[in-house]
Amino acid sequence: MRKISAYLIITLFIGVVCLPALIVIVGSNFEPLFQAEDPPQKLFQEQPTQPGELTIQVWHHQEKQIREMPLEEYVAGVVAAEMPASFEPEALKAQAVIARTYALGQTLTSGGRGCDNHPSADICTSDQHCQAWISREDVEEKWSEQKREEYWGKIVSAVQGTQGMVVTYHGEPVDAVFHSTCGGHTDNSEEVWSASAPYLKGVECSYCQHSPWAQKETIYSLNEFSELMSHFPKASPVSAYSTPTFLSVNRSSTERLMTLQVNDLTLTGHELRNLLSLPSTRVSWKVEQNKIVFTTKGFGHGVGLCQYGADGMAKEGYDYREILKHYYQGVDVIPIKSPAG
Ligand SMILES: [Zn+2]
Ligand SMILES: [Zn+2]
């Protein structure tokens, strides 16, 4: 497990205690945060840097260099990159807490892992490796002009409204994994990856039904299917799977496809998902004449927080703490504090 050193805990304690006071002091400076003429990427630029303010060394994949930035500014860029800003404020707050929790687990000065692709950085901006991050300037280009002020304001509020809050299990920051849409039930981590975690247990989720990924059909002609299957290592030649026979289908307790055999090929649900670009492994199928119809529920790996579910819970009036405690079982949502506190 990752450990937060006493140094970091004290540093954060100073940050958590002092920063709200600073926000009050600079309260009159809030407005400029939302103005287009502000220099981008400076969420808290009106706020003087304090010795206790935690910073993070971020490797930028586009710039190919490390940029040091205040943790809370980093968190805002993650929320902007990882969750639609149209989501409910409490869902955005849940995402901010997750982003902060993950960042703390990475921060080298706290005894975190660091980014092993970029050893002198704490974290990188690749969603394939650490977590996605986008600058204010870049994300605003994706939004319509009418929505820019509102959306950036929502992100700032989500970050400031959860300042210093993290998710812990027995006092340690959790591995706060998340996905877009679970499709009705999240999954036990050990059924998706090999590692199990007591707080990453599948829970029911009736809150993501408004997701465009709640249920999807992906259709291939049998020839297209056979062609794709033939790319799999040790597969037979192209035409072999145009009359597919599905054998020994194994599923997890939550309907996720674990392994299956198609004619002479045995592959995992994950491999089938990649091969056919399916949104998730909660998949069933039907062969109809010359085509095969795959029906999937959800989008993503299915472990931890369901983002559309978080949005749905927020719509029903749950706050970010309740949302986080639903998707991460048995955790605490707390401000970082000194060991004595
Ligand atoms: Zn990385
Ligand atoms: Zn869900």
Side-chain angles (χ1 to χ4, degrees):
M1 287 292 266
R2 297 184 293 273
K3 276 204 159 322
I4 300 183
S5 69
Y7 167 78
L8 176 71
I9 290 167
I10 291 162
T11 305
L12 285 168
F13 179 66
I14 293 165
V16 169
V17 172
C18 298
L19 290 180
L22 282 166
I23 288 165
V24 172
I25 294 164
V26 300
S28 60
N29 290 327
F30 261 36
E31 281 306 308
L33 291 176
F34 311 130
Q35 286 177 9
E37 63 265 27
D38 275 352
Q41 306 151 15
K42 285 287 173 196
L43 179 64
F44 302 119
Q45 90 253 12
E46 302 297 336
Q47 196 166 287
T49 304
Q50 295 296 301
E53 189 175 350
L54 188 67
T55 59
I56 187 163
Q57 307 281 332
V58 183
W59 171 268
H60 281 253
H61 275 270
Q62 279 175 331
E63 296 174 7
K64 303 210 180 315
Q65 62 175 6
I66 291 174
R67 203 197 289 173
E68 182 175 7
M69 64 177 77
L71 176 67
E72 299 297 309
E73 181 181 325
Y74 169 75
V75 168
V78 176
V79 175
E82 298 277 19
M83 181 176 267
S86 57
F87 274 23
E88 293 289 322
E90 292 299 317
L92 292 166
K93 284 185 186 173
Q95 189 77 45
V97 176
I98 287 173
R100 189 180 295 111
T101 304
Y102 183 77
L104 286 178
Q106 293 291 109
T107 307
L108 290 161
T109 49
S110 72
R113 296 164 301 220
C115 168
D116 41 60
N117 278 0
H118 307 283
S120 48
D122 296 317
I123 208 160
C124 73
T125 58
S126 164
D127 64 344
Q128 302 298 310
H129 191 250
C130 291
Q131 60 184 352
W133 181 92
I134 190 166
S135 68
R136 176 179 177 178
E137 189 180 38
D138 287 346
V139 77
E140 285 190 340
E141 267 178 39
K142 296 172 192 274
W143 297 333
S144 70
E145 227 164 281
Q146 294 87 341
K147 289 285 182 189
R148 278 177 196 167
E149 198 172 307
E150 177 198 336
Y151 280 176
W152 188 252
K154 283 175 76 178
I155 288 169
V156 171
S157 297
V159 175
Q160 292 180 339
T162 61
Q163 189 138 14
M165 299 298 281
V166 288
V167 185
T168 61
Y169 185 82
H170 289 182
E172 300 281 352
V174 301
D175 195 4
V177 291
F178 63 92
H179 57 280
S180 163
T181 305
C182 73
H185 208 292
T186 68
D187 284 270
N188 299 328
S189 62
E190 67 271 20
E191 287 185 297
V192 176
W193 306 305
S194 52
S196 103
Y199 49 86
L200 295 177
K201 295 296 172 202
V203 293
E204 275 196 58
C205 173
S206 57
Y207 307 105
C208 56
Q209 290 165 15
H210 63 303
S211 166
W213 306 99
Q215 186 161 315
K216 271 266 179 210
E217 281 192 348
T218 307
I219 301 171
Y220 288 106
S221 73
L222 286 173
N223 285 342
E224 288 167 337
F225 175 72
S226 191
E227 157 78 22
L228 286 165
M229 292 298 283
S230 72
H231 295 157
F232 193 71
K234 295 186 188 158
S236 297
V238 174
S239 61
Y241 308 99
S242 54
T243 49
T245 308
F246 291 89
L247 301 159
S248 62
V249 178
N250 297 311
R251 293 187 180 277
S252 75
S253 56
T254 55
E255 298 176 37
R256 202 160 280 274
L257 181 67
M258 304 298 279
T259 58
L260 87 162
Q261 192 184 336
V262 187
N263 298 9
D264 59 340
L265 266 187
T266 300
L267 61 175
T268 65
H270 188 64
E271 287 166 337
L272 184 81
R273 181 188 168 199
N274 283 345
L275 212 54
L276 303 180
S277 306
L278 299 173
S280 81
T281 56
R282 301 189 82 202
V283 57
S284 58
W285 51 85
K286 232 174 6 186
V287 178
E288 293 174 355
Q289 294 169 336
N290 61 348
K291 65 182 182 185
I292 179 163
V293 180
F294 291 92
T295 305
T296 45
K297 288 181 182 169
F299 182 28
H301 52 63
V303 184
L305 179 128
C306 165
Q307 290 180 304
Y308 272 89
D311 187 48
M313 283 187 78
K315 284 182 199 299
E316 293 194 17
Y318 293 99
D319 70 21
Y320 75 94
R321 288 182 185 81
E322 292 168 315
I323 292 168
L324 292 165
K325 287 183 173 202
H326 177 67
Y327 292 107
Y328 305 108
Q329 294 283 293
V331 299
D332 296 306
V333 182
I334 54 168
I336 300 290
K337 56 187 179 188
S338 68

